[in-house]
Amino acid sequence: MHRSASRLTRVLACAAVPVILTVAGCSSDSGKDSGSGSGKKSDASSSAKPNSKASTAVEKAVYSTLPEPCKTVAAKTIETIVPKAKDGNGTAAKSNDLASRASCSWNGLDEAGLKGSQYRWLSISLVRYDSLASVGTGSKRAEDEYAKQVEKAKVVEGAENMKPEAAGGIGDQATSFTFTTKKDGDFSNTTVIARTHNVIITLDYNGTAYEGADAPDHAKLLADAIAATKETVASVEAANQQKQPEQAPAPSNS
């Protein structure tokens, strides 16, 4: 009875140990002294064998860097959607790691005399996620964060007439949002949140009219925002393309 109770205690102790440790700590039930050297060879090799889950390397992230944030869209695009931009080159935000987090913004006021003025503001932000064994692949991490950002975008403070819609044809996932705000004027706002593999892109584009000019057209703002987001996705891909090494010529048989 004493021997049976001792063995049951040992089994229960092994069951409580995390999976990663069970092979090393509870591989044998013989009760022999593991340090005596008298155990079977199979027992020793079993104890030394690493756990397959622990030893499997996490899949490498698809993208390893980000493009220059102020060059994610072409200069012609900025001229079109942000007329009379104060700085056509954009204003980049400070970042300690531009390969993982970067953003740029543009703004401009297009004055048309008696026809009034049109103001536009554009911001493009990029965040890249690496693969980490403790939390998963870069793409899975980005996918989880994308879902959080989409939910957060639905409840922007002061937003009216919020309209979220799935936006197809942009990276792996994308959602667009159109809404209005009345702070400092009647602004028409568009946001596009997109994911391309392990990178999340957030594009904010808004505008308003002054001095009797017609209010910005929401449909036009959305179309411009989607086009700029697609351009940004292409820039991420281009920044990560590496020149394939030239293959050495095949040896001659002559």
Side-chain angles (χ1 to χ4, degrees):
M1 289 292 291
H2 175 74
R3 186 170 182 176
S4 299
S6 175
R7 179 166 182 170
L8 177 60
T9 301
R10 180 180 175 81
V11 171
L12 291 175
C14 290
V17 178
V19 174
I20 194 172
L21 300 177
T22 54
V23 174
C26 305
S27 60
S28 173
D29 193 42
S30 64
K32 294 182 181 181
D33 184 0
S34 59
S36 65
S38 60
K40 295 181 181 179
K41 185 176 180 180
S42 60
D43 291 337
S45 62
S46 176
S47 297
K49 186 178 180 180
N51 184 283
S52 60
K53 291 184 179 180
S55 61
T56 301
V58 66
E59 181 182 346
K60 185 179 179 181
V62 175
Y63 295 134
S64 59
T65 191
L66 294 175
E68 292 185 47
C70 296
K71 294 184 178 180
T72 52
V73 293
K76 289 184 178 181
T77 300
I78 298 300
E79 291 175 4
T80 300
I81 67 177
V82 188
K84 304 293 179 65
K86 287 184 179 179
D87 186 351
N89 294 321
T91 302
K94 293 182 179 180
S95 173
N96 294 327
D97 185 3
L98 289 172
S100 297
R101 186 180 295 271
S103 64
C104 188
S105 62
W106 299 258
N107 70 85
L109 180 65
D110 185 9
E111 298 179 275
L114 297 177
K115 294 182 179 180
S117 303
Q118 291 285 343
Y119 175 80
R120 296 291 184 273
W121 181 80
L122 171 69
S123 172
I124 300 175
S125 300
L126 307 98
V127 181
R128 185 184 62 83
Y129 294 85
D130 277 321
S131 295
L132 298 173
S134 58
V135 290
T137 66
S139 293
K140 183 61 171 64
R141 293 179 65 200
E143 185 177 354
D144 293 342
E145 185 60 28
Y146 166 83
K148 294 177 184 178
Q149 293 300 323
V150 167
E151 290 305 310
K152 188 181 296 185
K154 294 177 181 178
V155 289
V156 174
E157 183 178 356
E160 298 179 2
N161 305 311
M162 172 65 74
K163 186 178 180 182
E165 288 185 334
I170 308 176
D172 297 295
Q173 294 175 282
T175 302
S176 67
F177 304 82
T178 58
F179 56 98
T180 57
T181 54
K182 295 186 179 298
K183 184 178 180 180
D184 299 325
D186 293 328
F187 276 80
S188 299
N189 303 267
T190 299
T191 295
V192 180
I193 301 175
R195 180 182 71 85
T196 173
H197 293 296
N198 57 309
V199 173
I200 291 181
I201 297 164
T202 303
L203 185 144
D204 293 304
Y205 181 47
N206 64 45
T208 190
Y210 295 112
E211 300 170 351
D214 292 335
D217 179 73
H218 260 307
K220 180 66 167 59
L221 286 178
L222 179 58
D224 287 341
I226 287 177
T229 307
K230 288 181 178 180
E231 216 174 311
T232 304
V233 169
S235 293
V236 173
E237 182 178 353
N240 285 272
Q241 286 180 341
Q242 296 181 354
K243 184 178 179 181
Q244 295 296 325
E246 295 182 3
Q247 294 184 352
S252 175
N253 294 327
S254 58

